[in-house]
Amino acid sequence: MRVIVNIIHSVKGYHSKTIRFLNVAFDSSGDFLLAGDHQGNIYVFDLNGNRFNLVQRTTQACTALAFNLRRKTEFLVALADYSIKCFDIETKELVSWMRGHDSSVSSISVHGSGRYAITTSSDTAQLWDLDTFQRKRKLNVRQSVGIQKVFFLPLSNTILSCFKDNSVFAWEFDTLHCKYQLPTPVEGSALLYKVFAVTRDGRIFVAGGKSNQLHLWCLESRKLIRIIQMPAKVRAVRHLEFLPDSFDGGSNQVLGVLSQDNIMRFINIETCKLLFEIGSHEEGISTAAISPNGRYIASVMENGSLNLYSVQALTQEGNQPPPPTFKVVEDWSKCRSEANKLTMRVTSGRSERPWKSKGSKIQSRLLKMQVNTSLENKENELPGGLNKKRLRTLLKGFGEYPAKYRMFVWRSLLQLPENHLAFSSLIDKGTHSAFVNIQNEYPIKSQKLLRVLQRTLSALAHWSAIFAETPYIPLLAFPFVKLFQNNQLICFEVVATVVVNLCQHWFEYFPNPPVNILSMMENVLAHHDKELLQHLIKYNVTSQVYAWPLLETLFSEVLTREEWLKVFDNIFSNHPSYFLMIVIAYIICSRAPLLHCNQIEDFEYFFHHRNNLDINVVIKEAYHLMETTPLDIHPQRVLDDFIPLTKGQYPVFNKYPKFIVDYQTQEQERIRQDEIEYLRERQLAHELEAKAQERKAEDEAWYRKQELLQEAEEQRRKMLLEEEEKLVEQRQRLAAVKRELKVKELQFLDASRRRFLKYQQDQRQMELKRLDDEIARKATMREQETAAALQDVEVQRMELESQRQVFEQHLIKDQEAVTKEMREEVDARRRKVDLEDHLVQTLMEIDREEKQKAQTVAEENLTKAEQKRIDANWRLRALHKLRGDDQDREKRYEEIAKLLHDNRVKEAELLKAMREAEEKTWEEVIQKKAQLEQEQKAAAAADEHRKQFLEDKMNDALELAEKLQREDGCFERPRDLKAGRTGRGVELQQVPRSGNICLNDLSPSQSSSHMSLDRRGEDLVLQERELMAEVRRLRQKLTSQARTRHPPARFPATKWTP
């Protein structure tokens, strides 16, 4: 059965309804399942214990869950109010509440250590520390791009961020520096990434979206290794997740694909075979989660219920559909850098050989073009599948690039390398000293824009020292900073590319403007509009007035945003000399207003402000100049072709007079040091002046204070004289009052002394009375204790006597029982053959020995126990009496101790006597046993004539003896039977299997021998009875001797006296 359990949360009442589950998540062990519904109820299901529990009511629908934190009892839940809360499933309490998102949180990714988490929404991703529940970092993107998902890679410290423009970046977790970016997919793939999955070892990355194709990336080589094509009925992929296997080492091979038809298909990414599927059109799946141990699949159904599947049952052969096959699509990009990519198709038909896509007409045409292409066309090829010649054709037709794709086209035209590590190293150097106070020179309202400008300029200055000394570099970089303020890397590389290509030979005459470039432009202007140049020369307007402002600001002062973008669409699409041509074209197209100007201020104002000029005319004029300018004065002869930035590291930029830059740097450093010294000295002078003023004010205040003190001193002296006179009068009155109080005090002390004496007398009388009562009470207690001790001694004596009598009764009963058993055994022996008779006699001997041993041990143990109990009682009484008595009790203790000593001596003598009696008894028993053995040997010698018959039936007798030994457990030497086999000559008739022999069973020839055996057995019984009677008389004699020698101790009737 594939579905283990179906969980439905329904509410019964007047209007019954079903509460829909929204999200599920497994813990790290895979034994607990967390589920949240749209009312905010969070349930935890124990899959091993087969029980569930409601752990929290959040009253809001949950959008994401995470249950693999470092503290195993805690979990994260993202709610509809854009907040994230952490709860404990055991205490059911709120652990933390995290805010910061402005839209719904779509996913929560937890680091392998369980300490950090990343929450992702459509506009931002935030990194949280789950120990302090504080936000560490925040990833912001432009709203036009958007974030699909940000998550941790397993078994590594790498964060993978996936954006809506199909870009995938990998970040170092510790430093949050960009490690690499996955290249854009191959040309012809219209797949927009929506969902993602990574294997447990973090090597394979799978992406899918609104298509039936899946892209498999190898994160180690950062290449697209395979494209899997799902069946035609799959039009979009909604969820991807790998199925873990404990034996694959983390390189998962089975991928779960949830498509738009609400069916989740599990395929093998190596063979592209469909293994099994869950869900159907009637019972569709909304979302699913797979346990880390690979045992369960939890799916939220479209009807709001929760299904739990067993992976083991799904993978069985009986539950699998017929194995589908796959087809290999011929690779159409063999000549590209991303070659050897195979497109695998999952189908349900028979296996076929690799085939070519019929609908791939564009792909076939591209292959043909690449085979017959020329070197020139190869140079026109751009990254991202664009072609510079086609772009120029598009630009000439429309005049500009589409605004939606302009940034992409620019990045392709400029061939930006996107060196994340190199750019990060420049940013890590911090703000350059030349741009620390840039806000004073360029007061930009937007702090973000100012910060990006400062970082970009600092990165340029760290890249090459010339940019820290170039005054116009902020004007040159500002348009691009404003345009790419959300992507600082692209902004820096665009500015650097512009400086390397469009600003060629600008810095050869530093710190002066590029005279060589300006002279070249003046020559071109003289060739195409000599009249305008003569007019400019007439009013002393040089190229530094009419050309340099346009160059250093990149037209940002004279053009609007739309015009500027259109101009640079053409500049980036042509040779770097086109930039100079468009400046000359702007001047030529403005000849009418320029010819009317006759003041130098008017010319300067014209080239620093916007003018009423059609930019399309300027662009066309620039193209005309590019085509009609002679080669000897054409800027293309001097300027190099476009050179993109190198990948990995940025090129060295040293095309400037280094000694001048160094000299200026040293001079600026010297001026800065002098300025710092001057500011320090001025600050010191201000401080000294302030201290002098402060000291002067303090002196004046001190003199005023001294005058006031003198006046106050005179007043105080007068007041003291008056107070002294009053004090003398008060002292006289006080002395009289003291005398009166002294008399009263003496009277009071006398009365108190008399009252205290009376109190002391009363206390002494009460103490004497109390002592008398205590003495009487102690005397009474001593008398009572003495009487109680005598009674205890008498009771103990009676107990000993009763125990002795009971012991004797037990001995008598045991002897009677032994006698009875012996009588029964003798009767039984009469009915058995000679072999059984011998075994019974041996059994009786052993039984008697055991009983004698048991009786002896019982007597010894009983005597010891009684003596120990007597000793313990005496010790307890002695201890109780020692605690409450004085010297008299100590004397009493000595007497008791003496009695105890005597008692121990008597006990030792009694034990010794009993041991001696036991030894004598055992000697007699051994002698009797020897006599019994001699008699048995004599009986065996008398029965030698039956030896032949016994040998025939001895095997049966031995089996019977072994059986009796197992049943009774008291025969210790079965080998005696084997020894007796050779010493006896008894010939018996065959013994029945029942083991009972009667006299009627014997033949007439054997009856006389059996009668003699019976008489011999009766003699043995009589001898045993006489022996037992003698042992009993010996024990009674020993007991009476012990009583006469050691009578029971009797204490004299003494009285305890104080």
Side-chain angles (χ1 to χ4, degrees), residues 235-486:
R235 298 188 302 274
V237 178
R238 294 169 50 188
H239 181 71
L240 293 173
E241 191 166 0
F242 279 96
L243 180 63
D245 189 355
S246 58
F247 302 100
D248 58 11
S251 58
N252 310 130
Q253 302 295 322
V254 180
L255 176 65
V257 183
L258 178 62
S259 57
Q260 88 289 342
D261 57 357
N262 302 328
I263 297 176
M264 193 167 187
R265 299 170 175 86
F266 288 82
I267 63 172
N268 189 305
I269 60 174
E270 291 295 329
T271 62
C272 292
K273 289 184 178 182
L274 180 63
L275 303 179
F276 57 89
E277 62 185 28
I278 58 176
S280 61
H281 296 288
E282 294 79 16
E283 296 181 0
I285 297 175
S286 175
T287 184
I290 302 176
S291 63
N293 55 17
R295 297 174 57 190
Y296 306 107
I297 301 175
S299 63
V300 178
M301 312 304 288
E302 285 294 320
N303 58 7
S305 64
L306 183 63
N307 276 5
L308 189 66
Y309 296 87
S310 171
V311 175
Q312 182 180 3
L314 290 169
T315 54
Q316 290 177 356
E317 291 295 330
N319 293 331
Q320 291 184 2
T325 59
F326 61 94
K327 300 179 181 179
V328 181
V329 179
E330 183 179 357
D331 186 13
W332 46 265
S333 57
K334 294 181 181 178
C335 298
R336 296 183 178 274
S337 61
E338 298 177 354
N340 299 326
K341 306 294 188 302
L342 294 177
T343 300
M344 314 290 287
R345 174 175 296 181
V346 178
T347 63
S348 58
R350 57 185 179 85
S351 177
E352 299 179 3
R353 294 184 177 180
W355 60 289
K356 296 184 179 180
S357 176
K358 295 181 180 179
S360 180
K361 297 181 179 179
I362 298 176
Q363 297 173 5
S364 300
R365 184 167 62 251
L366 286 175
L367 281 172
K368 186 174 182 180
M369 286 177 60
Q370 289 180 357
V371 172
N372 301 323
T373 186
S374 63
L375 180 62
E376 181 182 358
N377 288 336
K378 287 183 179 179
E379 292 178 354
N380 290 328
E381 292 298 327
L382 299 175
L386 300 180
N387 186 281
K388 185 180 291 187
K389 186 173 290 186
R390 292 183 181 180
L391 290 176
R392 288 176 184 172
T393 304
L394 178 67
L395 185 63
K396 288 182 180 179
F398 295 94
E400 60 179 337
Y401 293 125
K404 183 177 180 181
Y405 301 103
R406 176 177 280 119
M407 298 300 104
F408 173 69
V409 173
W410 282 16
R411 290 167 64 178
S412 300
L413 289 171
L414 299 179
Q415 303 179 30
L416 302 181
E418 300 186 17
N419 300 327
H420 294 275
L421 296 178
F423 178 70
S424 299
S425 64
L426 295 175
I427 291 297
D428 292 341
K429 294 180 180 179
T431 303
H432 198 275
S433 59
F435 305 107
V436 173
N437 299 319
I438 192 175
Q439 66 274 7
N440 299 330
E441 187 176 357
Y442 300 98
I444 302 175
K445 293 183 179 180
S446 174
Q447 292 297 322
K448 179 181 178 181
L449 190 61
L450 179 63
R451 186 164 57 252
V452 175
L453 176 63
Q454 189 179 43
R455 290 180 179 176
T456 304
L457 296 177
S458 298
L460 289 170
H462 291 308
W463 176 41
S464 181
I466 183 65
F467 300 122
E469 309 298 333
T470 307
Y472 56 85
I473 197 67
L475 299 175
L476 186 144
F478 181 75
F480 298 104
V481 170
K482 192 172 183 180
L483 192 63
F484 296 99
Q485 57 182 322
N486 291 326

Side-chain angles (χ1 to χ4, degrees), residues 765-815:
Q765 290 178 359
M766 292 175 64
E767 184 67 21
L768 290 173
K769 185 177 180 182
R770 188 181 63 79
L771 290 174
D772 293 340
D773 294 342
E774 184 69 18
I775 290 170
R777 187 178 63 81
K778 284 187 176 181
T780 305
M781 288 178 62
R782 287 172 182 170
E783 292 176 358
Q784 293 176 357
E785 289 176 356
T786 303
L790 293 174
Q791 291 177 1
D792 291 341
V793 170
E794 185 64 24
V795 170
Q796 289 178 0
R797 187 187 63 77
M798 294 173 66
E799 289 178 354
L800 289 173
E801 185 66 23
S802 63
Q803 289 177 359
R804 183 183 61 77
Q805 294 176 0
V806 170
F807 178 68
E808 292 178 354
Q809 291 177 2
H810 283 306
L811 289 176
I812 294 171
K813 290 180 179 180
D814 292 340
Q815 291 174 358

Side-chain angles (χ1 to χ4, degrees), residues 442 453 457 460 467 470-481 494-500 502-503 506-507 548 550-556 564 568 579:
Y442 300 98
L453 176 63
L457 296 177
L460 289 170
F467 300 122
T470 307
Y472 56 85
I473 197 67
L475 299 175
L476 186 144
F478 181 75
F480 298 104
V481 170
V494 168
V495 174
T497 305
V498 168
V499 170
V500 170
L502 301 186
C503 302
W506 280 27
F507 307 99
W548 180 238
L550 301 178
L551 292 175
E552 66 178 357
T553 61
L554 301 181
F555 291 95
S556 60
W564 187 87
F568 271 85
F579 176 50

Side-chain angles (χ1 to χ4, degrees), residues 38-52:
H38 75 279
Q39 289 189 354
N41 301 316
I42 309 296
Y43 295 87
V44 61
F45 297 87
D46 185 357
L47 303 182
N48 290 335
N50 195 20
R51 57 180 180 270
F52 71 97

